[in-house]
Amino acid sequence: MGCIQSFRQCCDRPKNTNVRISLPAVCFVWQIAMIILFGIFIRYNEESDTHWIEHKTSNNISSNIENDFYFRYPSFQDVHVMIFVGFGFLMTFLKRYSFGAVGFNFLIAGFGLQWALLMQGWFHSLDPMDGKIKIGVESMINADFCVASCLIAYGAVLGKVSPVQLMVMTLFGVTLYAVEEYIILSLIHARDAGGSMVIHTFGAYYGLSISWMLYRPNLDQSKHRIGSVYHSDVFAMIGTLFLWMFWPSFNSAISDHGDGQHRAAINTYLSLAATVLTSIAISSLSQKTGKLDMVHIQNATLAGGVAVGTAAEFMLMPYGSLIVGFCCGIISTLGYIYITPFMEKYLKIHDTCGIHNLHAMPGVIGGIVGAITAAAASKDVYGTEGLANTFDFMGKWKDMMPTQQGGHQAAGLCVALCFGIGGGIIVGCILRLPIWGDAPDNSCFDDDIYWEKRTGNNFLFHLSETI
Amino acid sequence: MGCIQSFRQCCDRPKNTNVRISLPAVCFVWQIAMIILFGIFIRYNEESDTHWIEHKTSNNISSNIENDFYFRYPSFQDVHVMIFVGFGFLMTFLKRYSFGAVGFNFLIAGFGLQWALLMQGWFHSLDPMDGKIKIGVESMINADFCVASCLIAYGAVLGKVSPVQLMVMTLFGVTLYAVEEYIILSLIHARDAGGSMVIHTFGAYYGLSISWMLYRPNLDQSKHRIGSVYHSDVFAMIGTLFLWMFWPSFNSAISDHGDGQHRAAINTYLSLAATVLTSIAISSLSQKTGKLDMVHIQNATLAGGVAVGTAAEFMLMPYGSLIVGFCCGIISTLGYIYITPFMEKYLKIHDTCGIHNLHAMPGVIGGIVGAITAAAASKDVYGTEGLANTFDFMGKWKDMMPTQQGGHQAAGLCVALCFGIGGGIIVGCILRLPIWGDAPDNSCFDDDIYWEKRTGNNFLFHLSETI
Amino acid sequence: MGCIQSFRQCCDRPKNTNVRISLPAVCFVWQIAMIILFGIFIRYNEESDTHWIEHKTSNNISSNIENDFYFRYPSFQDVHVMIFVGFGFLMTFLKRYSFGAVGFNFLIAGFGLQWALLMQGWFHSLDPMDGKIKIGVESMINADFCVASCLIAYGAVLGKVSPVQLMVMTLFGVTLYAVEEYIILSLIHARDAGGSMVIHTFGAYYGLSISWMLYRPNLDQSKHRIGSVYHSDVFAMIGTLFLWMFWPSFNSAISDHGDGQHRAAINTYLSLAATVLTSIAISSLSQKTGKLDMVHIQNATLAGGVAVGTAAEFMLMPYGSLIVGFCCGIISTLGYIYITPFMEKYLKIHDTCGIHNLHAMPGVIGGIVGAITAAAASKDVYGTEGLANTFDFMGKWKDMMPTQQGGHQAAGLCVALCFGIGGGIIVGCILRLPIWGDAPDNSCFDDDIYWEKRTGNNFLFHLSETI
């Protein structure tokens, strides 16, 4: 008991937000480490190496267009936009935290993708011949995916943490992600093309657990800054729309070539369309005069993309996608209205962007939909070869039945939950240490602490604060 | 006479802008209807179905890269950005209607694309074997195209209608679009790759006719809100630029594989470049001191893309594209200076975004250019096979001559005009009924009516109103 | 001496900013010239012509997907976004020059790409059979590249020149670019996929030399307007992020099909990620309390993409890319802190956007890195065929050695520097003539001079000026 108390006392020391030593130190040390590790481990794979021309001959590949680059690069670019513009601008809605939203998003994504290439490489693409990790366009997509889970987690703690804390959170987040991804996809052999479980469920619970550990009882002092102004809401819509539009690319980016990518894009497109209508309907119902709330439009409209992630490459059928989107729009919007305030009041979890409604619940739903769809798969619908291809019933898994696959999907969901919650609690403890330069309770949601403002800005700031 | 008078009286009842029942009802009922109809009718096509692997074998397709997905998906994503970010942000220019612009754009596009998949499917991709509509990436592009015509129409009535009216307008708009598209493309056998006639002419006259039917004689009461502030103009430039940049993808998205898509992209690229220069020239000429008007830059610079839509896949030649763009930049900018005020004053048509200058006139020009280019086509220029491919002189049309094709193109333009004007008048009558929750004359162009604003915003709003 | 003095007197006449004659005249004359020249010279190439179908047969091309369109169009669209949204929005950071930034960027890019198609066509794609220039998707990418160099130059003079001056600057800039590109790539046989030398070094020194020639000793009168407000910085981040995200497409857009494009994308992706961390580290170090400066985040984070341009398609190795990015983030940020003020004070070069730090220095570094990487190339690493392919050791260059190639790379860099500085000085002299309508010293950085503002805006402007 004494130990915990002294830990708590230690954590409650007055805050010092000067990060002039710690932030550059973290950036330099980690970037130099990346260079060294990349030097030791990372090489081009056979499709991005100059030996591609010999590889083509020896594998009877007739044309350069068969290079994986042409199958996946357009999707990669769309995913890239989601990571940097989508997530970055979605979080600009706070009236005084736009620099922090888009700038720190940039920082942690820039670091995270390098670390993800290494971590995922060790688990997935280590070449046994020479002990090197071989990277190509698919590695870049996977690195962006991994970063997405950390950016989701950032949504829960937006405005309450320092950039140094974010770097630490990303370091551990990427590490945990790579392990749970390996367990879920390789050991358990669950399928998760769009990452409902691997990315969204894990990322959201990781962020929520950290937010729980970092709970600030006196956050009321910054409460007046948790809100938007007209222009910041329009900026946030840039993020929303780029996420919404490119989600079909996200869910189809690493699906099987051919019908897999094609089908994943269609399912996501449809699910998202349905979500828009039900989000707006519930948003309008929730107000006395039927007015819409921008928070719901910015966030809940995306829930359908999350929830269709796992099943996107399966034969979910177009109407199935609509049903998923229909339900998620309702659940996510209701979450913003009822669950977020409840969680803050009773569970002591403050969730700045409402990631519980946008990622956690839809992610879990996505995992369940995936399990059901997989369990219900049949040779009638998929065809013999189609079934084997879609669920990768090959090699040591060649005798697997769809019902079994359903069980494995459910197991995968549990792993994602455990890693998210468990990992978040541990990392949250680390982040409570008073050495990271986070803001005092009365200066949260104000990027003045970490961003130099040029002359003249202060007046506008104070104006927007007082009104 | 008495009947008309009582209709008018009925329509002139005091306005009630509470949409708390009607908006959720419309969203839910229509979304549920979509789910049921999708369940009955819509399935994956052979390229997005798991049977693709068998289809490949039976059709001697050597590689997955031959899946239509890889020919069209990058263009689809560009079109998707145009629909949601392009049209959405283009309309944010009004100082107090940015939420309404981007939010309602989102709503009607989300609904419209589902209904378009059904309507277009019944006409174009019904499989006679099983009575199902088979969808793939091309269906998604066509659905987005169809939605574009409704968003164009929205531009004419921006700020003056309720979301419920927009949903009704979209329901009928998509239906009319599918019918006129079927008549023009399939029955008349006109070609219209970029939709100058099918999308722009139809959509613009549909919107203008509705605006005419909904004419508000006392709109002066809201006049002070029809204008922009500095930041809203910059937001609108986001819309302009994404439309401008991705228009080559729009016009080439459903052209023939190979040279067709390639040529359509080049022609559109060139036409748009020429439009920028002449729009700016006329804009500068129109002011005493040569200053530029942001309205012209935001809108008229896009006219070249509209006008080259029909002929983009033909052998218009690079200089031909430049000439089309050159003329449209002039005409469209002059339209903003002279025709829009004229239409409002004498024809009682209030056109908020000036769609007459951006879509209607350039669309008609595009139809005419298409007819002339088609009529002038020759085997010398196109080659025998090239001519047949480009104009699809196959099957029952295999003996058609280019001059005949020119006539068919002209006929197509007339059909688009008739459907636009006729449909708009009928739908406009329906929308005059006083049950849709539209704003009273003194509250137009103010999204306060339909959007919940968080504390503090009102002050800024009133500030921006008074100045 | 008397001659120079009278030239100077002539240049110092009071300024007249009315461009009502000159701007439309320039636009119309040049656009009409373009139409005539395109009519005489420009035709579709064999991949965008209707004879593609015959070309396919005669060249044994099995599928339409082998059309260059499908190899390059997605990259083209990304580059297009960088040119119009990337460069345009990056320059919106000034508090009162957003219209000028994004609008004039639009104008000069729209004109420049047409002129570039002609100039580059004469040097690179003139068909000796019929004396015509044959264009396709690669021509469009190259035209966009050429425009990029003029937009870089615009960054140095942002806010201080008139649109007519910009048009003149673009006319000469494109012409010089085409010549130096021909010398560097064709005569000297240097490789420069991402244009570190050809685009960035040339463009930056061209702009800096012009800015030097146009030096205004009394610019202090406008100094209070050289700065940003909160929202203009967020707008600028849109530009930054779209440049950052799509830079891998920029550097890979015209690389060799297959592994060339693939490798260039990977190298750029990695280099940019490393730059983010070191830019942020140095930015934080440079302030007493470790706060970050938005200028550095907006600009220095991009330096890694510039510096990896030449070597992106070589076997730079992933860690090599990280090292390049690491160094450039540091150098570029230090440039903003120390070199830009130094240049203004001692060299009389005012550089509004700091292009010396973002393009000039990283461009030169990129040229040097390219030379070293080329000189160090070996058959062990590249393979025999790979080496010949990557460095294009074919035809008359088939006996070239990598070490020689390194020398040629260095020679290319010198040519780019000479053309940039020499061309800039000459064009700068022309632009000093007092006939172009540029702003007086006390009205720089204020787009009120060239842009019509609607009622009500002035108040907000004056407000933002006073605070």
Side-chain angles (χ1 to χ4, degrees):
Chain A
M1 272 316 281
C3 158
I4 289 176
Q5 216 153 23
S6 67
F7 174 73
R8 186 165 291 172
Q9 278 171 349
C10 161
C11 296
D12 290 349
R13 287 198 312 206
K15 309 275 188 181
N16 175 2
T17 61
N18 187 333
V19 291
R20 197 184 175 191
I21 306 301
S22 52
L23 182 58
V26 168
C27 289
F28 274 121
V29 170
W30 293 4
Q31 188 57 56
I32 291 167
M34 288 301 116
I35 292 174
I36 295 167
L37 290 168
F38 269 60
I40 301 172
F41 286 105
I42 295 202
R43 297 293 177 271
Y44 305 115
N45 73 6
E46 61 214 355
E47 309 203 72
S48 55
D49 190 283
T50 44
H51 294 85
W52 159 250
I53 195 162
E54 291 147 30
H55 176 79
K56 260 192 345 183
T57 319
S58 64
N59 286 268
N60 258 323
I61 294 169
S62 61
S63 163
N64 279 320
I65 197 91
E66 306 259 345
N67 193 305
D68 199 33
F69 184 78
Y70 302 104
F71 285 92
R72 304 212 183 272
Y73 189 71
S75 307
F76 160 69
Q77 274 297 4
D78 293 349
V79 172
H80 217 41
V81 172
M82 292 173 73
I83 299 300
F84 289 89
V85 164
F87 283 107
F89 272 85
L90 185 60
M91 297 191 286
T92 57
F93 73 99
L94 288 176
K95 62 177 116 171
R96 288 181 64 169
Y97 214 72
S98 299
F99 287 7
V102 78
F104 295 151
N105 184 83
F106 199 14
L107 170 64
I108 61 186
F111 163 66
L113 62 86
Q114 299 177 54
W115 182 227
L117 280 174
L118 280 163
M119 283 301 302
Q120 295 183 314
W122 282 317
F123 283 112
H124 292 289
S125 25
L126 208 60
D127 186 336
M129 300 281 285
D130 55 5
K132 305 291 186 196
I133 297 163
K134 301 294 170 68
I135 61 169
V137 64
E138 198 171 333
S139 321
M140 299 199 292
I141 298 172
N142 276 314
D144 273 22
F145 276 6
C146 178
V147 164
S149 69
C150 296
L151 299 178
I152 291 166
Y154 180 28
V157 295
L158 180 72
K160 299 174 290 184
V161 292
S162 77
V164 183
Q165 281 177 309
L166 287 171
M167 291 290 282
V168 174
M169 195 173 121
T170 306
L171 179 79
F172 288 108
V174 168
T175 313
L176 288 162
Y177 178 95
V179 177
E180 60 109 33
E181 185 196 40
Y182 177 69
I183 295 173
I184 294 174
L185 302 188
S186 301
L187 300 187
I188 297 185
H189 192 263
R191 304 283 290 171
D192 198 7
S196 297
M197 305 181 287
V198 171
I199 302 168
H200 297 285
T201 304
F202 165 74
Y205 284 104
Y206 179 63
L208 291 168
S209 304
I210 291 174
S211 186
W212 184 43
M213 296 309 293
L214 298 181
Y215 183 70
R216 292 164 179 265
N218 304 318
L219 197 59
D220 306 346
Q221 300 169 13
S222 294
K223 204 121 217 177
H224 57 291
R225 275 188 232 104
I226 311 179
S228 60
V229 287
Y230 201 67
H231 285 121
S232 70
D233 268 330
V234 181
F235 276 122
M237 278 305 289
I238 296 174
T240 300
L241 288 175
F242 275 101
L243 286 169
W244 195 93
M245 295 181 303
F246 288 162
W247 217 292
S249 299
F250 191 93
N251 285 349
S252 69
I254 54 162
S255 299
D256 291 338
H257 291 176
D259 63 296
Q261 286 194 276
H262 203 150
R263 193 166 52 251
I266 294 174
N267 285 333
T268 312
Y269 173 81
L270 292 173
S271 177
L272 284 163
T275 311
V276 174
L277 272 85
T278 52
S279 301
I280 287 180
I282 299 291
S283 182
S284 174
L285 265 180
S286 72
Q287 295 283 341
K288 267 190 199 145
T289 54
K291 290 186 181 189
L292 300 171
D293 188 331
M294 212 54 185
V295 171
H296 306 152
I297 314 304
Q298 280 159 10
N299 294 281
T301 52
L302 299 167
V306 174
V308 89
T310 302
E313 58 176 349
F314 302 159
M315 292 289 279
L316 182 58
M317 306 316 281
Y319 67 88
S321 310
L322 291 183
I323 293 171
V324 171
F326 185 92
C327 298
C328 283
I330 297 173
I331 292 168
S332 182
T333 315
L334 290 175
Y336 277 95
I337 301 170
Y338 298 111
I339 300 178
T340 300
F342 173 87
M343 278 172 54
E344 189 182 348
K345 201 163 171 191
Y346 298 105
L347 305 183
K348 311 283 183 210
I349 301 176
H350 182 267
D351 178 6
T352 313
C353 296
I355 62 166
H356 186 260
N357 314 304
L358 172 47
H359 298 280
M361 290 193 299
V364 172
I365 293 171
I368 296 169
V369 169
I372 295 171
T373 320
S378 70
K379 289 191 181 172
D380 284 357
V381 174
Y382 285 75
T384 312
E385 280 185 282
L387 191 67
N389 275 340
T390 306
F391 294 100
D392 194 27
F393 290 158
M394 287 159 192
K396 75 176 206 192
W397 306 97
K398 73 172 190 295
D399 298 322
M400 200 150 164
M401 302 298 299
T403 42
Q404 283 176 283
Q405 180 68 32
H408 287 223
Q409 296 288 135
L413 180 59
C414 296
V415 172
L417 277 166
C418 294
F419 266 80
I421 296 171
I425 289 174
I426 296 165
V427 175
C429 279
I430 297 170
L431 295 180
R432 279 208 74 164
L433 295 173
I435 56 173
W436 307 115
D438 52 325
D441 291 346
N442 63 354
S443 302
C444 287
F445 313 112
D446 184 348
D447 51 18
D448 244 353
I449 309 172
Y450 303 116
W451 295 86
E452 189 62 28
K453 300 282 165 53
R454 287 164 238 172
T455 344
N457 276 327
N458 289 334
F459 174 82
L460 259 187
F461 261 43
H462 288 277
L463 182 72
S464 73
E465 175 127 350
T466 52
I467 57 182
Chain B
M1 274 312 281
C3 157
I4 289 174
Q5 214 152 26
S6 67
F7 174 73
R8 185 165 294 174
Q9 278 171 350
C10 161
C11 295
D12 291 349
R13 287 196 316 203
K15 309 274 188 182
N16 175 3
T17 61
N18 186 333
V19 292
R20 195 184 176 191
I21 305 301
S22 52
L23 182 58
V26 168
C27 289
F28 274 122
V29 171
W30 293 2
Q31 187 57 54
I32 290 167
M34 287 302 116
I35 292 175
I36 295 168
L37 290 168
F38 269 60
I40 300 172
F41 286 105
I42 294 202
R43 297 293 178 271
Y44 305 116
N45 73 6
E46 60 213 356
E47 309 203 73
S48 55
D49 191 282
T50 43
H51 293 85
W52 159 251
I53 193 164
E54 291 147 29
H55 176 79
K56 261 194 341 185
T57 318
S58 65
N59 286 269
N60 260 322
I61 296 168
S62 61
S63 163
N64 279 320
I65 197 91
E66 305 259 346
N67 193 306
D68 199 32
F69 183 79
Y70 302 104
F71 285 93
R72 305 210 182 275
Y73 188 72
S75 308
F76 160 70
Q77 274 298 4
D78 293 349
V79 172
H80 217 41
V81 172
M82 293 173 72
I83 300 298
F84 289 88
V85 164
F87 283 108
F89 273 85
L90 186 60
M91 297 191 286
T92 56
F93 73 98
L94 288 176
K95 63 177 115 169
R96 288 182 62 170
Y97 213 73
S98 299
F99 287 7
V102 78
F104 295 153
N105 184 82
F106 199 15
L107 171 65
I108 62 187
F111 164 66
L113 63 87
Q114 298 178 55
W115 181 227
L117 279 174
L118 279 163
M119 284 301 303
Q120 295 183 314
W122 281 318
F123 282 112
H124 292 288
S125 28
L126 208 59
D127 185 337
M129 299 282 284
D130 56 4
K132 305 292 186 196
I133 297 163
K134 301 294 170 67
I135 61 169
V137 64
E138 198 170 334
S139 321
M140 298 199 291
I141 297 171
N142 276 313
D144 272 22
F145 277 6
C146 178
V147 164
S149 70
C150 296
L151 298 179
I152 291 165
Y154 179 29
V157 297
L158 180 73
K160 299 174 291 185
V161 294
S162 77
V164 183
Q165 280 177 309
L166 287 171
M167 291 290 281
V168 173
M169 197 173 119
T170 306
L171 180 77
F172 287 109
V174 169
T175 313
L176 288 162
Y177 177 95
V179 176
E180 59 110 33
E181 184 197 40
Y182 177 69
I183 295 173
I184 294 173
L185 302 188
S186 300
L187 300 188
I188 297 184
H189 192 262
R191 303 283 292 170
D192 197 8
S196 297
M197 305 182 287
V198 171
I199 300 168
H200 297 285
T201 306
F202 165 75
Y205 284 104
Y206 180 64
L208 291 168
S209 304
I210 290 174
S211 186
W212 184 43
M213 296 309 293
L214 298 181
Y215 183 69
R216 292 163 179 265
N218 304 317
L219 197 59
D220 306 345
Q221 299 169 14
S222 294
K223 205 121 216 178
H224 57 293
R225 272 187 234 105
I226 311 179
S228 60
V229 286
Y230 200 68
H231 285 122
S232 71
D233 268 329
V234 182
F235 277 123
M237 279 306 289
I238 297 175
T240 300
L241 287 175
F242 276 102
L243 286 169
W244 195 92
M245 295 180 303
F246 288 162
W247 217 292
S249 300
F250 191 93
N251 285 350
S252 69
I254 55 162
S255 298
D256 291 339
H257 291 174
D259 63 297
Q261 287 193 276
H262 203 150
R263 193 164 52 250
I266 293 174
N267 285 332
T268 311
Y269 173 81
L270 292 173
S271 176
L272 284 163
T275 311
V276 174
L277 272 84
T278 52
S279 301
I280 286 180
I282 299 290
S283 183
S284 175
L285 266 180
S286 72
Q287 295 283 343
K288 268 189 199 145
T289 54
K291 290 188 182 189
L292 299 171
D293 188 331
M294 212 54 186
V295 171
H296 307 153
I297 314 304
Q298 280 160 11
N299 295 281
T301 50
L302 299 167
V306 175
V308 89
T310 302
E313 58 175 349
F314 303 160
M315 291 290 278
L316 182 58
M317 307 315 282
Y319 67 89
S321 309
L322 290 184
I323 294 172
V324 171
F326 185 91
C327 299
C328 281
I330 297 172
I331 293 169
S332 182
T333 314
L334 291 175
Y336 277 95
I337 301 170
Y338 298 112
I339 300 178
T340 300
F342 173 86
M343 278 172 54
E344 189 181 350
K345 200 162 174 192
Y346 297 106
L347 305 183
K348 312 281 182 211
I349 300 176
H350 181 268
D351 179 5
T352 313
C353 295
I355 63 166
H356 186 261
N357 315 305
L358 171 48
H359 297 282
M361 290 193 299
V364 172
I365 292 170
I368 296 168
V369 169
I372 295 170
T373 320
S378 71
K379 288 190 182 173
D380 284 356
V381 175
Y382 285 75
T384 312
E385 280 185 282
L387 191 68
N389 275 341
T390 306
F391 294 100
D392 194 28
F393 291 158
M394 288 161 190
K396 76 177 204 188
W397 306 99
K398 74 172 188 298
D399 298 323
M400 202 150 162
M401 303 298 298
T403 43
Q404 282 176 285
Q405 180 67 32
H408 287 223
Q409 297 287 135
L413 181 58
C414 297
V415 172
L417 277 167
C418 295
F419 265 80
I421 296 172
I425 290 175
I426 296 167
V427 174
C429 280
I430 296 170
L431 294 181
R432 279 209 72 163
L433 294 174
I435 55 174
W436 307 116
D438 51 326
D441 291 345
N442 62 355
S443 304
C444 287
F445 313 111
D446 183 349
D447 53 18
D448 244 353
I449 309 172
Y450 304 117
W451 295 87
E452 189 63 27
K453 301 281 165 55
R454 287 163 238 171
T455 344
N457 276 328
N458 288 333
F459 173 82
L460 258 188
F461 261 43
H462 288 278
L463 181 73
S464 73
E465 174 127 352
T466 52
I467 55 182
Chain C
M1 273 314 280
C3 158
I4 289 175
Q5 213 152 27
S6 67
F7 174 74
R8 187 166 288 174
Q9 277 171 350
C10 161
C11 294
D12 289 349
R13 286 196 315 202
K15 310 273 187 181
N16 176 2
T17 62
N18 187 334
V19 292
R20 196 184 176 190
I21 306 301
S22 52
L23 181 59
V26 168
C27 290
F28 273 123
V29 170
W30 293 2
Q31 188 57 55
I32 291 167
M34 289 300 117
I35 292 174
I36 295 167
L37 290 169
F38 269 60
I40 299 171
F41 286 105
I42 295 204
R43 298 292 177 270
Y44 305 116
N45 73 6
E46 60 213 355
E47 310 202 72
S48 56
D49 190 284
T50 45
H51 294 85
W52 158 251
I53 193 162
E54 292 147 29
H55 175 79
K56 259 193 343 183
T57 318
S58 64
N59 286 269
N60 259 324
I61 296 169
S62 62
S63 162
N64 279 319
I65 198 90
E66 306 258 345
N67 193 304
D68 199 33
F69 183 78
Y70 301 104
F71 285 92
R72 305 213 183 273
Y73 189 71
S75 307
F76 160 69
Q77 274 297 3
D78 293 348
V79 172
H80 217 40
V81 171
M82 292 173 73
I83 299 299
F84 289 89
V85 164
F87 283 108
F89 272 85
L90 185 60
M91 297 191 285
T92 57
F93 74 99
L94 288 176
K95 62 178 117 168
R96 289 181 64 169
Y97 213 73
S98 299
F99 287 7
V102 77
F104 295 151
N105 184 82
F106 200 13
L107 170 65
I108 61 187
F111 163 66
L113 62 87
Q114 298 177 54
W115 182 227
L117 279 174
L118 279 163
M119 282 303 301
Q120 295 183 311
W122 282 318
F123 283 111
H124 292 289
S125 28
L126 208 59
D127 185 336
M129 299 282 285
D130 56 5
K132 306 291 186 195
I133 297 164
K134 302 294 170 66
I135 61 169
V137 64
E138 198 171 332
S139 321
M140 299 198 292
I141 297 172
N142 276 314
D144 273 22
F145 276 6
C146 178
V147 164
S149 69
C150 297
L151 299 178
I152 290 166
Y154 180 29
V157 296
L158 180 73
K160 299 175 289 185
V161 293
S162 77
V164 183
Q165 280 177 308
L166 287 171
M167 291 290 282
V168 174
M169 194 173 121
T170 307
L171 180 78
F172 288 108
V174 168
T175 312
L176 288 163
Y177 177 95
V179 177
E180 59 109 34
E181 185 197 39
Y182 178 69
I183 295 173
I184 294 173
L185 302 188
S186 300
L187 300 187
I188 297 184
H189 192 262
R191 304 283 292 170
D192 198 8
S196 297
M197 305 181 286
V198 172
I199 301 168
H200 297 284
T201 304
F202 164 74
Y205 284 103
Y206 180 63
L208 290 168
S209 304
I210 291 175
S211 187
W212 184 43
M213 297 309 293
L214 299 181
Y215 183 70
R216 293 162 178 266
N218 305 317
L219 197 60
D220 306 344
Q221 299 169 15
S222 293
K223 204 122 216 179
H224 57 293
R225 275 188 231 101
I226 311 181
S228 60
V229 286
Y230 200 67
H231 285 122
S232 70
D233 268 330
V234 182
F235 277 122
M237 278 305 289
I238 297 175
T240 300
L241 288 175
F242 275 102
L243 286 170
W244 194 92
M245 295 180 303
F246 288 162
W247 216 294
S249 300
F250 191 92
N251 285 349
S252 68
I254 54 163
S255 299
D256 291 338
H257 290 177
D259 63 297
Q261 287 194 275
H262 204 150
R263 193 166 50 252
I266 294 173
N267 285 333
T268 313
Y269 173 82
L270 291 174
S271 176
L272 284 163
T275 311
V276 174
L277 271 84
T278 51
S279 302
I280 286 180
I282 298 291
S283 182
S284 176
L285 265 180
S286 72
Q287 295 283 341
K288 268 190 201 146
T289 54
K291 290 188 182 190
L292 299 171
D293 189 331
M294 212 52 186
V295 171
H296 307 154
I297 314 304
Q298 281 159 10
N299 294 281
T301 51
L302 299 166
V306 174
V308 88
T310 302
E313 58 176 350
F314 302 159
M315 291 290 279
L316 182 59
M317 307 315 280
Y319 67 88
S321 310
L322 291 184
I323 293 171
V324 172
F326 185 92
C327 298
C328 283
I330 296 172
I331 293 168
S332 183
T333 313
L334 291 175
Y336 277 95
I337 300 170
Y338 299 111
I339 300 179
T340 300
F342 173 86
M343 279 171 55
E344 191 182 347
K345 202 163 172 191
Y346 298 104
L347 305 182
K348 311 282 181 209
I349 301 175
H350 182 267
D351 179 6
T352 313
C353 296
I355 63 166
H356 186 261
N357 315 305
L358 172 48
H359 298 281
M361 289 193 299
V364 172
I365 293 171
I368 296 168
V369 169
I372 295 170
T373 321
S378 71
K379 287 191 183 172
D380 284 356
V381 174
Y382 286 74
T384 312
E385 281 186 281
L387 190 69
N389 275 340
T390 305
F391 293 100
D392 196 27
F393 290 158
M394 288 162 192
K396 75 175 204 193
W397 307 98
K398 73 172 188 297
D399 297 323
M400 200 149 165
M401 302 299 297
T403 43
Q404 283 177 284
Q405 179 68 31
H408 287 222
Q409 297 288 135
L413 181 59
C414 296
V415 172
L417 276 167
C418 294
F419 266 80
I421 296 172
I425 289 175
I426 295 166
V427 175
C429 280
I430 297 170
L431 294 181
R432 279 208 75 164
L433 295 173
I435 56 173
W436 307 116
D438 52 325
D441 291 345
N442 62 355
S443 303
C444 287
F445 314 111
D446 184 348
D447 52 17
D448 244 354
I449 310 172
Y450 304 115
W451 295 86
E452 188 62 28
K453 300 282 165 55
R454 286 163 238 172
T455 345
N457 276 328
N458 289 334
F459 174 81
L460 259 188
F461 261 42
H462 289 277
L463 182 72
S464 73
E465 176 128 351
T466 51
I467 57 184

